[in-house]
Amino acid sequence: MPAASLKKTVRTSVILPETAHARIQALADANNVSAAWIIRAAVMQFLDEHGYETQLPLKLPRPKTGERE
């Protein structure tokens, strides 16, 4: 078995604004990859750049009343 297939993975879910989902899906379709691939690549890039910092490099907007995080 190749080493890459031995790495453990964990499934997770996120709730995205409809517009973000549509943009991710369009990007995935244009590049013949899955939306999950785009999201994984974005998360890994963010962690590579900021994963060991104790403070986020940006202020994330707080959800509006009634919205889920």
Side-chain angles (χ1 to χ4, degrees):
M1 223 179 227
S5 63
L6 296 177
K7 291 182 181 178
K8 291 186 179 184
T9 59
V10 177
R11 181 176 301 270
T12 191
S13 297
V14 296
I15 297 172
L16 299 171
E18 202 171 317
T19 54
H21 180 266
R23 291 173 64 190
I24 291 167
Q25 191 60 57
L27 187 58
D29 292 345
N31 289 278
N32 200 31
V33 296
S34 67
W37 188 95
I38 298 289
I39 294 167
R40 274 192 303 272
V43 169
M44 295 310 296
Q45 180 179 347
F46 183 88
L47 291 175
D48 285 347
E49 294 174 14
H50 307 288
Y52 296 102
E53 297 173 13
T54 58
Q55 296 291 314
L56 288 176
L58 53 109
K59 283 277 191 186
L60 297 176
R62 293 195 181 271
K64 295 176 185 170
T65 304
E67 288 184 1
R68 297 176 70 177
E69 288 187 23

